[in-house]
Amino acid sequence: MMWDESDVRLVPLEWLKAHENIKPRNRDKLLDMIKRWEGYTKPLIVDQLTGAILDGHHRHAIAEILELKRVPVICVDYLGDESITVDVWPGCERDSLTKQEVLEMSLSDELFPPKTSRHTIADHLPPIHISLQILKLEGNAQP
C-alpha cells in the first residue's frame, strides 16, 4: 500500500487511542528531533472508525507533551483491509495478537507493554512536514 500527502489528515489529539505503552528513552530522542525539525515529518497510522493508533505511539506521546491540538494521521480500515496484519514482537511474552484485541485494548483503560503489537501496514509513508505551530491550532478536522 502506498500513500501520498493527500492521504494525510489532521485530527484532534483527543480522538486518538493508544493500545500499548512506549519506551520513554525512544520518546525523548524523538521529541528532541521533532523540536529541532519544528514539526512532524511522519504521520501516525490509525483505525478510521475508532482512532486506535496502529503506528505512532511515540509521536502520540510527544503530541501530548507538546500540548498539540491536532496530529497528522493516515486513517485506514483496520478490520476490513486484509493487507494490514498484526503479529507480536519476539520476547513480548505473547504468542499471538488479533486485530480485535488491539481495538479492545485501545478502547479500554489499559495498555499492552511496549513493543507488543507488530503491524505490517505499508512499505512507504509519505514524507511530510507539518509545523508545530499548525498542530497547536484548534481546527475543524474531523476523524
Side-chain angles (χ1 to χ4, degrees), residues 44-82:
L44 287 71
I45 299 181
V46 302
D47 175 52
Q48 66 188 7
L49 297 177
T50 64
I53 300 166
L54 310 177
D55 180 61
H57 284 85
H58 289 90
R59 284 168 272 149
H60 175 257
I62 290 165
E64 290 179 328
I65 289 169
L66 296 176
E67 299 180 353
L68 302 180
K69 303 294 184 201
R70 301 181 294 169
V71 181
V73 304
I74 292 178
C75 292
V76 298
D77 181 2
Y78 186 45
L79 292 177
D81 188 336
E82 292 181 14

Side-chain angles (χ1 to χ4, degrees), residues 20 85-98 101-102 112 114-120:
E20 68 183 23
T85 62
V86 65
D87 201 350
V88 293
W89 286 96
C92 78
E93 301 180 13
R94 287 184 68 107
D95 294 329
S96 65
L97 188 63
T98 67
E101 288 172 316
V102 168
F112 290 121
K115 291 296 183 186
T116 298
S117 67
R118 184 177 187 178
H119 285 93
T120 303

